[in-house]
Amino acid sequence: MNLPIWLIKLLFNLWPPFLGAGIRVRELSPDFRQAEVRLKLGLGNRNYVGTHFGGSLYAMTDPFYMLMLLRQLGGDYYVWDKAGRIDYIKPGRGVVRALFHLSDEQLADIRERTAAGDKYLPEMTVEIRDADDELVATVHKTLYVRKKPRQR
């Protein structure tokens, strides 16, 4: 389905888990190679000590690498999130952001490793940074990628 990019961003921003947590997709490139997601500290995403709730920090990163890879690799591939973990570096306050990027090298590596039908488990990393560009958390996502049988 080829929806206009503005509509895809709107649907992300209205998706209940994002809307409720205050997560906003600010940028999404038409080719799905880059994205910027922001989270503003508010009553709905603050923890007991007044900083960003860790679950909201993780949620702001959750679907993006999977969806970006699906769009880049196309319907010939299975792409799923397999595992994820977050390393908290410092308390998040105010607005935080995560920048996602898929490089030509990453995509070529994935295509090469899955060309014969083998599964591949690439690990993608995204940093969550505050308004002063200080590191708040690092999220590690392990994806499952495999070429579909009819495409091998």
Side-chain angles (χ1 to χ4, degrees):
M1 183 182 334
N2 287 329
L3 298 173
I5 202 70
W6 67 266
L7 182 56
I8 294 169
K9 282 175 38 181
L10 178 64
L11 292 172
F12 267 126
N13 290 331
L14 293 175
W15 187 42
F18 279 13
L19 186 64
I23 298 165
R24 298 289 176 263
V25 177
R26 296 287 303 224
E27 298 292 331
L28 183 60
S29 65
D31 63 0
F32 274 67
R33 297 274 298 266
Q34 297 184 72
E36 178 182 348
V37 180
R38 292 190 180 202
L39 175 61
K40 183 178 179 181
L41 184 62
L43 291 177
N45 60 22
R46 130 183 357 240
N47 64 22
Y48 184 76
V49 295
T51 61
H52 277 288
F53 171 62
S56 296
L57 291 172
Y58 184 82
M60 73 184 285
T61 68
D62 189 32
F64 289 96
Y65 276 126
M66 182 192 75
L67 295 173
M68 292 166 72
L69 277 175
L70 277 169
R71 289 294 288 251
Q72 282 297 306
L73 298 173
D76 296 345
Y77 289 82
Y78 297 115
V79 180
W80 296 303
D81 282 325
K82 183 172 182 345
R85 78 177 206 285
I86 186 167
D87 296 321
Y88 300 103
I89 310 301
K90 67 174 259 182
R93 295 179 175 87
V95 177
V96 295
R97 73 184 186 295
L99 302 174
F100 301 84
H101 176 74
L102 286 177
S103 69
D104 290 335
E105 294 79 16
Q106 287 171 308
L107 293 168
D109 182 54
I110 290 168
R111 286 186 176 105
E112 180 181 321
R113 290 175 183 256
T114 59
D118 297 325
K119 73 177 177 183
Y120 178 46
L121 305 174
E123 184 172 297
M124 307 292 198
T125 302
V126 63
E127 295 178 340
I128 299 173
R129 295 189 167 269
D130 65 16
D132 295 325
D133 204 35
E134 292 186 24
L135 186 61
V136 171
T138 304
V139 178
H140 306 271
K141 300 286 293 189
T142 303
L143 292 105
Y144 171 99
V145 182
R146 188 175 208 160
K147 207 165 195 183
K148 292 181 179 176
R150 67 180 183 275
Q151 305 303 326
R152 294 181 197 156

